[in-house]
Amino acid sequence: MKPEVYDMPDADVAWCPGCGNFGILKALKMALADLEIWPENLVLVSGIGQAGKLPHYLKGNVYNGLHGRSLSPATGIKSAHPQLTVVDVSGDGCMYGEGGNHFLHTIRRNVNLTNLVHNNMVYGLTKGQASPTSLRDFHTPLQVEGVFEEPFNPLSVALALGAGFVARAFSGDIERTRDIIKKAILHKGYALVDIFQPCVTFNRVNTYRWFRDNTYYLEDHNPTDRVEAFRRAIETGPYPLGIFYQNPGKKTFEENLSIYMEDERPLHQREIKREAVRKLIQSKKKI
């Protein structure tokens, strides 16, 4: 299948020229094409932000929800129709800031979805405030004396919570990002791909060159070693890229739901038991 299957030729793209989001969009289309996932079987879920606009530029089913709350509808969609491919797309502010609580508990539940986080270390849509992943001493119009908090480390948090797939990519390297996204989608269970992505307008520090000079790919790394994965995840200079950890043996959220233990059909394909629904409603009226 060709990546052009997902093209939206009439889309009015709002990203700045040179934005790192373009590399992620291209890598995602290539990965989906390689896996032959047709648009009708794909659901892209997003929150608010420049990253949250990505699903509008790619052919497929789309749910654009509240700021930081995209993982909850993504969980609902996957629960109602486990056979769909669900990809949640958000930025570092949306996912790790406003959506921090949802991020934590979706990992714990091990919902079978792919979580792509565009990490440009700044709030781009709202013109350049520090985000949870902004580095110390990063100056913005609001943090005029520089950021003094420690940056949020999504990989180490995901590992601590038992995430089954944890990876980091760089949008300036489309081919390697494509490969990582493919493996994330194929993974059974929750998969986090934190993607370094330059914001060319509001982050003049963490540029394409900065990311190239301050990252390297994991080599001879055993992705089944969780302790080693954690050790590599807390490295900060330079930052490792690649698959840190993968554990395919965990039961997913959907597999733990009783409604799928004897019947794998999605809910909309089942007969509605109207009499049982009527009895349930009547029983509640007596309370």
Side-chain angles (χ1 to χ4, degrees):
M1 186 187 299
K2 295 183 178 179
E4 289 76 16
V5 167
Y6 306 95
D7 283 352
M8 298 281 282
D10 298 326
D12 182 16
V13 179
W15 295 334
C16 303
C19 174
N21 286 334
F22 285 105
I24 299 174
L25 177 61
K26 186 173 182 178
L28 177 57
K29 286 182 179 179
M30 294 165 72
L32 293 168
D34 289 346
L35 297 174
E36 299 189 343
I37 297 171
W38 290 96
E40 56 265 36
N41 297 323
L42 171 69
V43 184
L44 294 154
V45 188
S46 66
I48 301 300
Q50 295 292 3
K53 297 175 182 176
L54 182 143
H56 304 168
Y57 311 145
L58 188 158
K59 192 174 292 181
N61 301 289
V62 173
Y63 184 93
N64 188 203
L66 299 173
H67 201 5
R69 276 69 174 174
S70 59
L71 284 172
S72 291
T75 298
I77 292 165
K78 193 66 184 178
S79 301
H81 199 325
Q83 294 162 16
L84 293 173
T85 297
V86 177
V87 179
D88 187 291
V89 185
S90 291
D92 47 304
C94 186
M95 182 56 57
Y96 305 140
E98 285 81 1
N101 184 43
H102 298 260
F103 175 65
L104 301 181
H105 295 290
T106 303
I107 294 172
R108 288 180 53 243
R109 293 175 180 129
N110 195 33
V111 184
N112 188 12
L113 56 80
T114 304
N115 190 185
L116 304 181
V117 184
H118 301 211
N119 185 356
N120 56 17
M121 305 178 181
V122 74
Y123 278 94
L125 183 68
T126 46
K127 306 190 184 307
Q129 303 97 322
S131 83
T133 57
S134 296
L135 301 181
R136 286 178 66 95
D137 300 323
F138 180 63
H139 288 71
T140 80
L142 285 180
Q143 288 80 22
V144 294
E145 296 181 351
V147 173
F148 56 80
E149 298 103 332
E150 289 294 330
F152 181 75
N153 186 327
L155 303 191
S156 61
V157 171
L159 287 164
L161 291 169
F165 187 100
V166 179
R168 180 190 284 139
F170 168 48
S171 71
D173 186 344
I174 293 173
E175 286 295 336
R176 298 291 285 265
T177 300
R178 165 200 201 171
D179 290 341
I180 292 172
I181 291 175
K182 280 171 59 178
K183 290 173 181 172
I185 292 174
L186 289 173
H187 174 76
K188 191 190 79 169
Y190 173 85
L192 170 66
V193 185
D194 183 78
I195 307 175
F196 283 156
Q197 169 253 319
C199 174
V200 296
T201 300
F202 295 109
N203 188 339
R204 303 299 177 90
V205 176
N206 307 113
T207 61
Y208 283 96
R209 180 171 181 175
W210 187 94
F211 282 118
R212 289 193 176 98
D213 290 345
N214 289 277
T215 58
Y216 73 98
Y217 281 98
L218 292 168
E219 301 289 349
D220 300 323
H221 171 67
N222 178 5
T224 65
D225 187 337
R226 188 181 177 196
V227 174
E228 176 63 12
F230 188 85
R231 189 183 72 77
R232 306 304 288 267
I234 60 175
E235 290 183 10
T236 56
Y239 294 85
L241 301 172
I243 298 173
F244 288 65
Y245 182 66
Q246 185 167 18
N247 175 8
K250 297 178 63 177
K251 288 185 72 173
T252 67
F253 177 75
E254 306 89 277
E255 289 175 330
N256 281 306
L257 295 176
S258 59
I259 54 173
Y260 293 118
M261 289 182 179
E262 297 181 354
D263 189 345
E264 295 182 350
R265 291 179 300 165
L267 300 184
H268 75 278
Q269 293 180 2
R270 302 186 190 188
E271 179 186 358
I272 300 174
K273 297 180 179 178
R274 298 186 184 280
E275 182 60 22
V277 174
R278 189 189 65 78
K279 289 182 178 179
L280 175 65
I281 294 174
Q282 291 299 325
S283 68
K284 299 299 180 185
K285 288 181 178 178
K286 296 176 182 177
I287 295 176

